[in-house]
Amino acid sequence: MLASEIHNILKQNPWFASLPEDLAKQLQQRSKIKHLNDKQMLHQKNALADGFYCVLTGRIRASNFTLEGRELVLTWIQTGNWFGEISLIDGLPRTHDAHAEGSTTLLMCPKSAFDLLLVEHNQWQIHIMRLLCQRVRATFSLIDETGCLSLKGQLCKRLSLMQQGLEEQHQGATTNELAISQDSLAQLIHSSRQTVNKILQSLQTDKVIALRYGKIIVLDRSILDELGKI
């Protein structure tokens, strides 16, 4: 993958796009490409942090497992999104397992390069703090969502956020096709596939979405937003 192609992917992310030009250039230059096969593990929970990552192709599933072996999915990290900075800053182990879904290419800024940027650039510290603030806000939103919304409301909010994320990746272009299975959605809201299927069928009847094999077509995001309000 050419440096220009990588940069085009990176700049679609609002956080990266907000970096000063020189800092963005240094981050890209000090990073290296890492390839993962489908289902390959990037890191385990409690592993020491080795780098700061951005998804270039594919996606990363962040999850934990219960004592009974049930997987609890926190999120899927999509193309253009950065992750892994928390353990680099506080020095504590990783909080989740991370696996590739499909053939996945990452840009990895090694821990040594990340630490050097912190020392050399005050602006880097400020922008990393802003990224951490985004994480905190997202966590608060998730807590509110889990505590206040029905499963239908949670599912509608997640579908809306997924479509919003796709539009950001495509620089505002309307993208209404979500490539995600019902099993994956069930893991995301910690429910059963049967319950998710029942909710999706109801949304399809109401012409909010259309179901395809392994895909969901969003027909009316405004209704998803309304159903996902707290």
Side-chain angles (χ1 to χ4, degrees):
M1 187 176 288
L2 298 175
S4 58
E5 294 176 315
I6 294 172
H7 186 73
N8 286 336
I9 294 171
L10 298 179
K11 70 180 183 181
Q12 293 172 12
N13 176 271
W15 175 79
F16 183 86
S18 73
L19 295 176
E21 184 177 350
D22 179 60
L23 192 53
K25 184 177 180 180
Q26 288 195 51
L27 175 57
Q28 185 174 343
Q29 288 178 341
R30 297 184 186 192
S31 299
K32 58 185 180 181
I33 297 292
K34 185 178 183 71
H35 297 288
L36 297 176
N37 297 320
D38 182 32
K39 297 184 172 71
Q40 185 176 344
M41 176 172 281
L42 174 63
H43 61 68
Q44 284 185 305
K45 180 180 179 179
N46 293 324
L48 295 178
D50 61 350
F52 181 47
Y53 294 93
C54 179
V55 181
L56 298 179
T57 65
R59 64 181 181 180
I60 293 291
R61 183 179 77 253
S63 64
N64 273 325
F65 285 85
T66 66
L67 292 176
E68 293 77 25
R70 180 187 175 199
E71 186 177 23
L72 302 176
V73 176
L74 173 67
T75 190
W76 281 273
I77 304 167
Q78 305 285 354
T79 303
N81 287 317
W82 292 85
F83 65 99
E85 75 286 345
I86 293 176
S87 291
L88 290 174
I89 292 171
D90 65 15
L92 297 177
R94 297 295 195 189
T95 57
H96 292 80
D97 292 340
H99 290 84
E101 288 210 347
S103 179
T104 299
T105 303
L106 303 172
L107 189 67
M108 173 193 181
C109 177
K111 182 180 184 302
S112 57
F114 184 93
D115 291 343
L116 198 57
L117 286 170
L118 285 174
V119 172
E120 293 177 347
H121 300 278
N122 289 334
Q123 282 292 313
W124 180 241
Q125 299 173 29
I126 293 170
H127 284 278
I128 287 297
M129 282 192 288
R130 287 177 178 167
L131 185 59
L132 287 170
C133 288
Q134 291 179 20
R135 306 279 190 236
V136 172
R137 288 179 182 274
T139 301
F140 286 158
S141 178
L142 181 61
I143 292 170
D144 288 343
E145 172 187 321
T146 304
C148 301
L149 289 175
S150 65
L151 287 175
K152 182 176 182 178
Q154 292 180 47
L155 185 58
C156 287
K157 184 161 187 177
R158 291 304 182 104
L159 292 175
S160 178
L161 288 173
M162 286 179 193
Q163 189 192 5
Q164 180 183 339
L166 282 177
E167 289 182 351
E168 289 176 354
Q169 290 173 30
H170 293 85
Q171 299 179 315
T174 301
T175 307
N176 64 350
E177 185 177 290
L178 306 177
I180 188 168
S181 68
Q182 294 186 24
D183 285 326
S184 294
L185 285 173
Q187 290 176 330
L188 195 58
I189 63 170
H190 305 158
S191 183
S192 68
R193 186 188 185 281
Q194 291 76 13
T195 298
V196 165
N197 180 261
K198 184 177 179 181
I199 295 171
L200 292 176
Q201 292 293 341
S202 172
L203 292 172
Q204 180 170 243
T205 299
D206 294 337
K207 294 181 169 50
V208 180
I209 63 169
L211 299 176
R212 302 288 184 269
Y213 182 75
K215 296 178 182 178
I216 296 171
I217 312 300
V218 177
L219 303 177
D220 194 333
R221 195 170 108 197
S222 65
I223 296 180
L224 290 178
D225 289 337
E226 190 63 33
L227 293 171
K229 279 184 179 178
I230 295 174

